[in-house]
Amino acid sequence: HFVDDGFGKFRDRNHAETFLEFVTSLSADLTYTLERPRADGFLPFLDVLLHRDLSTSVYRKPTHTDKYTHYTTAAPQNTKDALIRSLTRRAYIICSSQHLPKVLSHIKQVLLDNGYPLPRIHLIMQRTKVSINRKKSSKPASNHADACVPSTPQSPSPYKPSPNVIKSSFNI
């Protein structure tokens, strides 16, 4: 068995529960649950925090400590630089534009708290930003959506309902 996550937006709770019943009926080997937004309107999903206005920022569990390999340890420099790159890349990929400055500021402070020199932080963050922007500008635009349907080792061929079945089942 495996555990995986999916995300969907529904008209209302009844529509979501109807869809949950439908996907649960597809295989006895799979179990699905339905998560609802917290009382404050936020919905954590993997390492994404979905805001009420559907914008996104980085989600950190309440138990997250912001402790990383300290800069003064004997770890290789490329390992330390990789930490800066990975935190920065995650922010650029996940965050909506209105949340990005706050998240990048948090990353800088966390790295400073872990002994990283500010010039090194700025250098690697800037290089990462340039790399991400270069990749974005070289990708061709796409106007189609992908959909994933789960399968299990016991039944490797996923259930493939026709588009009409899905549309009629969920009034899409």
Side-chain angles (χ1 to χ4, degrees), residues 159-171:
Y159 173 76
K160 295 179 183 175
S162 73
N164 293 336
V165 169
I166 293 174
K167 286 180 183 178
S168 65
S169 297
F170 302 103
N171 300 320

Side-chain angles (χ1 to χ4, degrees), residues 116-135:
Y116 286 70
L118 189 57
R120 191 72 187 170
I121 296 169
H122 283 159
L123 175 68
I124 302 302
M125 288 180 94
Q126 182 59 32
R127 286 180 179 171
T128 304
K129 178 182 177 181
V130 168
S131 173
I132 290 168
N133 287 338
R134 190 177 316 122
K135 287 177 185 172

Side-chain angles (χ1 to χ4, degrees), residues 140-146:
S142 173
N143 62 354
H144 73 278
D146 295 326

Side-chain angles (χ1 to χ4, degrees), residues 69-134:
T69 303
H70 198 275
Y71 193 79
T72 60
T73 62
Q77 186 63 47
N78 63 348
T79 301
K80 298 170 188 176
D81 291 349
L83 172 63
I84 301 170
R85 259 192 316 277
S86 66
L87 293 174
T88 304
R89 182 174 286 118
R90 181 173 77 155
Y92 276 98
I93 290 169
I94 291 175
C95 291
S96 298
S97 58
Q98 68 264 41
H99 302 293
L100 186 60
K102 182 178 179 183
V103 172
L104 292 174
S105 177
H106 177 79
I107 291 168
K108 285 179 192 175
Q109 187 57 55
V110 165
L111 291 166
L112 288 168
D113 293 347
N114 283 277
Y116 286 70
L118 189 57
R120 191 72 187 170
I121 296 169
H122 283 159
L123 175 68
I124 302 302
M125 288 180 94
Q126 182 59 32
R127 286 180 179 171
T128 304
K129 178 182 177 181
V130 168
S131 173
I132 290 168
N133 287 338
R134 190 177 316 122

Side-chain angles (χ1 to χ4, degrees), residues 21-42:
E21 289 172 17
F22 171 73
V23 295
T24 301
S25 73
L26 298 177
S27 172
D29 295 324
L30 298 175
T31 303
Y32 296 90
T33 59
L34 188 61
E35 300 292 329
R36 292 179 181 82
R38 303 182 315 205
D40 59 8
F42 295 113

Side-chain angles (χ1 to χ4, degrees), residues 29 149-160:
D29 295 324
V149 178
S151 63
T152 67
Q154 294 81 11
S155 63
S157 297
Y159 173 76
K160 295 179 183 175

